[in-house]
């Protein structure tokens, strides 16, 4: 099973109207075991430290906060539950000696902060393979289509569906422009939008079945959740956040490949970014140290993790809200913060990567990007290395499809995935040289991905508690970002924001 094992750590608890194919059918997952920062420490029995700031979580958000706090002259300790850094960003080892990304991997235009961080660490990018035809697999029919024509990368569904989907996309962008990214619950129509699901809104607006298919698939690809689970206000906020201070967010930028969020990948894999960032922090990063409690003691805090206790003036919790809630806090967190964490679940997602001797689909004139209305994998990408020295097909398993296979054996998941790949790419896909699977729902320190989302009523009722400090406890993580929430860029932005917040509080 070495070539096909599920890679998971120990699972201790606690821690514009233009329509494009990827604008409706894209998505990025966010990122579970792999390389570690070789200079990071491991919690020793009954060890203790005293620092200015204890940081819970060694993902990109926590590490970025640590970098900026150290630059500001403060002492820190980063406590990471896993035996590696990166959080939902991880490189998975392959049997051929290579690797593939098991979590977050793509970046694109306006994702300025993750790009700046990678540049500072010497991690280069390369363009996601996007040459050749896309594939639509619908109603049991396989249809390759050229993306260089008048319709661009729009899948060849019926004309009425395309027209309806374009109108819906334009309306979503227009409504999103009315949502303040720093406080979506203050939008003029926040109450109206937050009391309905995205599904109910789509049912009233995506009235052509093929348009509904496109928008449903866009939803699961972006959020790894079904439209029925999401607040319309949250979806509009997420679209608004797909930009930066100078560029309004759009659905197209959120989900596109060329010119969008899936435009590029990192040389060496996305986990190179947190690995190299952790290396600059040295033994300030402590691995295999899941935090169990945060207790106020006088004017300071005692943060207790497995094998280590940290005494700190301030605490940064850089975890998704539902995982942050699994820590014991004394005194209790404000009720609004606790109620928020009770109501924000993680999406359900997995990534299945089949490895082949060559990227054979390229010779067939295909770019490895397929979308489907059936199967366990509904969207795929070419995850081969930059030199194409071997082939890797990556498929997202999301939302209902992932939940249906959470308890299945890896052999059963592999059988289902390869059946889909054969449907999309032919019989050559039947026999990969190796296969790796990452089921984030079953990963103990994530329990899903790519992001914790808001069902109806959450943002208007509890959204103000998302970033508000609780005494000396501050919150980071991609869910707290005002731009590119759910992405690596959002994680970096949240770390930078919380470091400024803490430095100001410490004076």
């Amino acid at each position: 099973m070495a070539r096909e094992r599920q890679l998971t750590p120990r699972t201790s608890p606690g821690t514009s109207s233009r329509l494009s194919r990827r604008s409706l059918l894209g998505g990025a997952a966010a990122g579970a075991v792999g390389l570690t920062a070789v200079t990071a420490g491991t919690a020793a029995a009954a060890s203790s430290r005293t620092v200015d700031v204890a940081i819970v979580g060694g993902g990109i958000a926590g590490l970025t906060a640590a970098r900026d706090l150290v630059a500001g002259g403060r002492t820190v300790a980063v406590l990471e539950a896993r035996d590696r850094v990166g959080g939902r960003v991880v490189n998975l080892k392959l049997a051929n000696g290579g690797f593939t990304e098991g979590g977050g991997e793509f970046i694109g235009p306006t994702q300025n902060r993750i790009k700046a961080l990678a540049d500072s660490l010497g991690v280069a990018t390369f363009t996601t393979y996007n040459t050749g035809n896309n594939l639509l697999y619908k109603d049991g029919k396989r249809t390759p289509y050229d993306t260089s024509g008048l319709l661009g990368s729009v899948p060849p569904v019926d004309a009425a569906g395309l027209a309806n989907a374009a109108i819906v996309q334009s309306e979503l962008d227009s409504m999103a422009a009315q949502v303040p990214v720093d406080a979506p619950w203050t939008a003029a129509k926040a109450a109206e939008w937050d009391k309905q699901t995205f599904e109910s809104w789509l049912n009233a607006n995506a009235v052509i079945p093929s348009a509904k298919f496109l928008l449903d698939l866009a939803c699961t690809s972006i959020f790894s959740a079904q439209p029925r689970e999401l607040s319309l206000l949250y979806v509009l906020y997420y679209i608004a956040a797909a930009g930066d201070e100078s560029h309004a967010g759009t659905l197209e930028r959120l989900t596109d490949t060329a010119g969008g969020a899936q435009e590029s990948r990192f040389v060496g894999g996305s986990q190179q970014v947190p690995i190299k960032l952790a290396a600059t922090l040295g033994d300030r990063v402590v691995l295999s140290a899941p935090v169990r409690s945060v207790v106020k003691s006088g004017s300071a805090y005692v943060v207790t993790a497995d094998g280590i206790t940290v005494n700190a003036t301030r605490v940064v919790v850089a975890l998704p809200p539902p995982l942050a809630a699994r820590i014991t806090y004394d005194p209790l967190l404000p009720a609004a913060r606790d109620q928020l964490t009770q109501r924000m679940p993680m999406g359900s997602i997995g990534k299945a990567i089949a490895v082949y001797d060559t990227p054979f689909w390229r010779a067939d004139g295909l770019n490895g990007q397929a979308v489907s209305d059936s199967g366990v994998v509904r969207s795929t990408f070419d995850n081969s290395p930059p030199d194409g020295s071997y082939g890797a097909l990556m498929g997202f398993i999301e939302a209902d499809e992932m939940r249906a296979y959470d308890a299945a054996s890896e052999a059963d998941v592999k059988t289902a995935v390869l059946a889909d790949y054969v449907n999309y790419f032919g019989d050559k896909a039947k026999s990969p040289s190796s296969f790796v699977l990452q089921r984030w729902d079953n990963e103990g320190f994530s329990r899903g991905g790519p992001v914790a989302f808001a069902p109806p009523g959450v943002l208007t009722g509890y959204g103000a508690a998302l970033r508000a400090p609780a005494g000396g406890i501050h919150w980071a993580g991609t869910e707290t970002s005002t731009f590119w929430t759910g992405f690596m860029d959002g994680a970096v932005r949240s770390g930078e924001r919380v470091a400024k917040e803490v430095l100001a509080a410490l004076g």
Side-chain angles (χ1 to χ4, degrees):
M1 293 296 290
R3 292 165 60 183
E4 301 174 17
R5 62 193 175 95
Q6 181 180 358
L7 302 174
T8 53
R10 292 185 297 273
T11 55
S12 304
T15 57
S16 110
S17 62
R18 185 171 76 85
L19 180 66
S20 73
R21 175 259 181 188
R22 290 313 302 174
S23 72
L24 289 176
L25 305 173
V33 167
L35 309 175
T36 60
V38 294
T39 55
T42 300
S47 65
S48 65
R49 297 187 189 184
T50 298
V51 296
D52 295 322
V53 186
I55 299 173
V56 182
I60 290 176
L63 295 172
T64 299
R67 174 202 64 180
D68 289 1
L69 288 166
V70 170
R74 295 297 178 173
T75 57
V76 305
V78 180
L79 303 175
E80 168 53 46
R82 301 170 178 87
D83 59 0
R84 61 166 184 85
V85 295
R88 286 164 278 175
V89 176
V90 63
N91 289 353
L92 305 179
K93 294 179 180 179
L94 300 176
N96 64 7
F99 60 87
T100 191
E101 295 93 341
E105 64 175 286
F106 300 108
I107 69 165
T110 76
Q111 296 188 4
N112 311 317
R113 302 315 303 152
I114 183 64
K115 184 63 164 61
L117 174 60
D119 288 347
S120 74
L121 296 169
V123 181
T125 61
F126 67 100
T127 302
T128 302
Y129 192 82
N130 198 33
T131 301
N133 288 334
N134 289 10
L135 277 173
L136 171 65
Y137 188 82
K138 190 173 185 296
D139 300 324
K141 181 181 178 182
R142 177 181 180 272
T143 306
Y145 60 99
D146 187 0
T147 63
S148 63
L150 182 62
L151 292 178
S153 52
V154 180
V157 297
D158 58 276
L162 293 175
N164 187 197
I167 292 169
V168 169
Q169 177 177 320
S170 180
E171 181 65 13
L172 287 169
D173 285 346
S174 177
M175 292 190 297
Q178 304 171 49
V179 177
V181 293
D182 59 342
W185 47 90
T186 67
K189 295 185 177 180
E192 175 187 339
W193 291 338
D194 204 30
K195 70 182 180 182
Q196 60 184 301
T197 65
F198 188 39
E199 172 82 8
S200 63
W201 187 87
L202 285 178
N203 286 341
N205 290 274
V207 294
I208 304 300
S210 56
K212 183 65 160 52
F213 155 69
L214 295 177
L215 273 299
D216 282 350
L217 188 54
C219 177
T220 55
S221 296
I222 296 166
F223 300 102
S224 299
Q226 301 296 142
R228 66 176 185 271
E229 301 177 273
L230 299 159
S231 159
L232 173 61
L233 177 62
Y234 181 76
V235 171
L236 297 176
Y237 154 68
Y238 211 85
I239 295 169
D244 60 18
E245 295 78 0
S246 302
H247 303 86
T250 66
L251 181 59
E252 182 176 22
R253 187 184 301 115
L254 179 65
T255 57
D256 221 342
T257 300
Q262 284 68 242
E263 183 173 79
S264 300
R265 297 167 58 198
F266 289 108
V267 176
S270 52
Q271 200 189 359
Q272 284 295 308
V273 175
I275 287 171
K276 290 191 174 186
L277 180 53
T280 69
L281 296 167
D283 63 6
R284 297 180 183 91
V285 180
V286 183
L287 302 178
S288 300
V291 169
R292 306 301 180 181
S293 64
V294 176
V295 177
K296 196 169 190 301
S297 178
S299 60
Y301 289 86
V302 178
V303 181
T304 302
D306 288 4
I308 185 170
T309 298
V310 176
N311 299 281
T313 305
R314 294 273 163 167
V315 179
V316 171
V317 178
L319 301 177
L323 296 183
R326 299 182 184 187
I327 297 171
T328 298
Y329 299 89
D330 185 8
L332 295 174
L333 295 178
R337 170 69 194 189
D338 193 71
Q339 292 284 320
L340 173 78
T341 61
Q342 292 180 43
R343 288 164 167 79
M344 289 189 73
M346 301 298 290
S348 297
I349 189 170
K351 293 179 79 172
I353 301 95
V355 180
Y356 304 89
D357 292 340
T358 64
F360 62 84
W361 50 92
R362 298 182 183 181
D364 297 333
L366 302 174
N367 61 19
Q369 296 177 42
V371 293
S372 176
D373 65 348
S374 61
V376 62
V377 168
R378 304 292 177 96
S379 64
T380 67
F381 280 88
D382 182 329
N383 254 39
S384 308
D387 61 3
S389 55
Y390 58 87
L393 281 174
M394 182 273 288
F396 288 112
I397 312 174
E398 301 182 280
D400 282 351
E401 283 68 49
M402 186 69 263
R403 289 186 280 264
Y405 279 86
D406 279 339
S409 69
E410 182 169 339
D412 286 346
V413 178
K414 178 183 177 183
T415 297
V417 168
L418 292 184
D420 291 338
Y421 290 178
V422 169
N423 284 335
Y424 308 154
F425 301 104
D427 286 342
K428 292 179 182 177
K430 186 180 299 182
S431 303
S433 59
S434 62
F435 181 86
V436 291
L437 175 66
Q438 178 57 44
R439 287 185 277 194
W440 287 101
D441 294 18
N442 295 342
E443 198 276 317
F445 298 117
S446 296
R447 299 318 305 261
V451 67
F453 62 85
V458 175
L459 288 180
T460 51
Y462 310 96
L466 185 60
R467 289 183 296 275
I473 303 173
H474 302 255
W475 312 104
T478 189
E479 288 84 1
T480 70
S481 183
T482 55
F483 289 107
W484 288 110
T485 184
F487 289 75
M488 291 181 285
D489 189 75
V492 176
R493 289 174 181 273
S494 78
E496 294 173 338
R497 185 263 309 158
V498 82
K500 291 177 182 177
E501 189 178 282
V502 171
L503 288 171
L506 290 173

